Amino acid sequence: CLLQQIFQELKNGEIAKSFRKAINRKEGILAIGGTSEQSSEGTQHSFSEEERFAFVNWINSALENDPDCKHLLPMDPNTDALFQKMGDGVLLCKMVNLSVPDTIDERTINKKKLTHFTTQENLNLALNSASAIGCHVVNIGALDLKEGKPHLVLALAALLRDGETLEDLMKLSPEELLLRWANFHLENAGYQKINNFSSDIKAGRDTHADSRAYFHLLNQISPKGTDEDQPRIDISMAGFNEKDDQRRAEAMLQEADRLGCRQFVTPADVVSGNPKLNLAFVANLFNKYPALTKPEGEDIDWGLLEGETREERTFRNWMNSLGVNPHVNHLYGDLQDALVILQLYEKIKVHVDWSNKVNTPPYPKIGTKMKKLENCNYAVELGKSAKFSLVGIGGQDLNDGNPTLTLAVVWQLMRR
């Protein structure tokens, strides 16, 4: 037919070629062909040069004293060394343990006289372990809090807002928690708050954004010499009024370097507002210099900080791998309006009547709980129609975040 003819001409003509060239020319993005024989023709995989540069420098710094990595490091951030040196799986395993310590037993990593078989074992070990921990970008977890990272506990207590409980704060994603932490210090500095780590950091947005916010953040968190084991470090604000965006960002990073925190970003990343790298930069500042003190009379309810079990983490990672929205950060709290559960029903081919049966945000100020409960009741109703075993499980149980009964529903969804 005529449509097929037109499609074929476009496919074989200069339009397709010019489009591919345009994609390849995108600044800072490198494209390569597909990795399999079936996908190599006409398929593009891309990655950011800035992110490669940042990750290589971070790995070089974090593992420079690890004897098992001497044959692999340092890597040149301007080449493809990152991809080539991941081949034996050793670096990947080490990176997993950097993210969540002791995830992989070091004794299980094959390090000497590597063969094709032992290399494959390392790669499988790294990939399975990365999946198990959810590959979190930011290492802030409930288990870390309970197992003795006091600065994170203090962070939770200090960042509570009026009328907010610790349980409410625990429902925030790592990104939201970092943003609140940064704004806590910016507010104390008398400086304008930011809404994100991308456009609000990007140069040119207004006179208050970009690296100027980081200057104030560094000044607030730098050690003041009040602790015996931490000498005073004064942050110079001399570069704050530098008019050139790149030079101002470089001056800020030189001050970050005095704190040992010049990782992940270059001046160009700050100026362009690269969200991933700026988030990693701020996460590193938080982990090294939280600069928070516990409010007077604030007690920590350790019952709210119970670590996530492997089973719960597996379920949560499975949901997120399916692209549910919103992202599930806390298994029970994020399922209390049943929207994620209803999306999972669709994934297993159970019809969901979104138009007539489902209440979606924004919920009304009066009756919010009832709207969420109606969703939960509908989720249970769909489960029964799909022949799930839901004896003794009601919508109220999902709405309450009952761990045992919520898991019973999720397990049957995953099993399908």
Side-chain angles (χ1 to χ4, degrees), residues 141-176:
L143 191 58
D144 297 323
L145 300 171
K146 191 168 185 181
E147 289 184 348
K149 294 188 178 178
H151 71 271
L152 297 180
V153 177
L154 295 176
L156 288 175
L159 298 178
L160 287 173
R161 292 175 178 168
D162 289 342
E164 192 173 49
T165 66
L166 186 60
E167 187 175 10
D168 295 327
L169 199 65
M170 288 292 291
K171 293 178 181 178
L172 294 178
S173 69
E175 292 85 352
E176 291 169 328

Side-chain angles (χ1 to χ4, degrees), residues 26-43:
K26 185 174 180 181
E27 188 175 356
I29 300 294
L30 298 181
I32 57 175
T35 54
S36 67
E37 186 177 343
Q38 291 83 0
S39 69
S40 60
E41 179 59 35
T43 299

Side-chain angles (χ1 to χ4, degrees), residues 339-395:
L339 290 181
V340 169
I341 293 176
L342 294 172
Q343 292 173 60
L344 295 174
Y345 276 126
E346 284 198 321
K347 299 293 184 183
I348 62 170
K349 309 302 182 186
V350 174
H351 174 69
V352 178
D353 187 351
W354 292 97
S355 301
N356 302 309
K357 293 278 193 175
V358 181
N359 303 306
T360 56
Y363 299 111
K365 290 184 178 179
I366 299 176
T368 294
K369 186 171 179 63
M370 183 57 66
K371 293 295 183 183
K372 293 180 178 181
L373 180 57
E374 288 175 358
N375 287 348
C376 293
N377 288 334
Y378 181 47
V380 172
E381 179 185 322
L382 286 179
K384 290 178 179 177
S385 68
K387 307 301 182 185
F388 282 18
S389 176
L390 299 178
V391 178
I393 300 177

Side-chain angles (χ1 to χ4, degrees), residues 311-312 315 331-332 402-412:
E311 182 184 35
E312 291 167 343
F315 286 135
L331 185 59
Y332 308 113
N402 183 295
T404 303
L405 302 182
T406 300
L407 282 182
V409 176
V410 174
W411 178 79
Q412 292 179 78

Side-chain angles (χ1 to χ4, degrees), residues 138-141 144-145 149-159 169 173-185 197 214 217-218 221 230 259 261 263-264 278-292:
V138 184
N139 186 22
I140 305 174
D144 297 323
L145 300 171
K149 294 188 178 178
H151 71 271
L152 297 180
V153 177
L154 295 176
L156 288 175
L159 298 178
L169 199 65
S173 69
E175 292 85 352
E176 291 169 328
L177 185 58
L178 283 175
L179 190 62
R180 184 175 294 195
W181 171 77
N183 281 328
F184 172 83
H185 286 300
F197 296 115
Y214 283 155
L217 179 59
L218 293 172
I221 68 175
Q230 214 171 38
L259 298 177
C261 293
Q263 282 93 26
F264 299 109
N278 277 283
L279 178 65
F281 173 67
V282 175
N284 191 40
L285 292 176
F286 173 82
N287 281 321
K288 289 189 175 182
Y289 297 97
L292 297 165

